[in-house]
Amino acid sequence: MAVAKIMAQMQSAFVADEAEGLQATFQFCISDDDDFYVTIGNANCTGNIGNHDDPEITMSMDSETLTEIVSGELDGMAAFMGGRLQAEGDVMLGTRLSQLFKMN
């Protein structure tokens, strides 16, 4: 699954009610595909290819891990604990992704 497709899925799966009062940028560094970031603010969600100057959290993984997390085959916390996903910054913010995006 290409990064552009995943970004589009994330935007359509965004749950605005879960983002009330949240202003945050999630950076995704994909080792074998394009990096991208998702910015949430004012109950809106936008995605962009590339790197943000100052994200609240940066998550690094390969495209297989990203695809498995998005498809629901792999839990994000399990990926983190298993070393398949690395996170820097506000790691607790990363735990909100499953609430902010209903992908399955």
Side-chain angles (χ1 to χ4, degrees):
M1 199 178 300
V3 162
K5 184 176 178 184
I6 289 172
M7 262 185 17
Q9 282 183 328
M10 288 180 77
Q11 287 179 284
S12 64
F14 178 63
V15 182
D17 290 345
E18 294 289 341
E20 190 171 322
L22 179 63
Q23 302 279 337
T25 299
F26 297 80
Q27 176 72 54
F28 296 85
C29 294
I30 311 304
S31 61
D32 56 349
D33 206 329
D34 293 325
D35 293 347
F36 70 101
Y37 59 95
V38 175
T39 301
I40 296 171
N42 301 319
N44 289 309
C45 170
T46 58
N48 294 284
I49 298 288
N51 293 290
H52 190 272
D53 290 336
D54 191 25
E56 278 66 35
I57 181 170
T58 300
M59 292 167 284
S60 303
M61 68 200 88
D62 61 22
S63 60
E64 180 182 355
T65 301
L66 177 65
T67 300
E68 289 177 16
I69 291 171
V70 168
S71 69
E73 294 175 48
L74 177 64
D75 177 68
M77 186 58 72
F80 179 75
M81 298 302 282
R84 293 182 63 189
L85 179 148
Q86 292 77 43
E88 294 179 25
D90 187 349
V91 177
M92 293 309 294
L93 188 59
T95 64
R96 291 188 61 187
L97 282 172
S98 62
Q99 297 164 331
L100 293 166
F101 301 95
K102 297 298 179 195
M103 300 295 284
N104 310 349

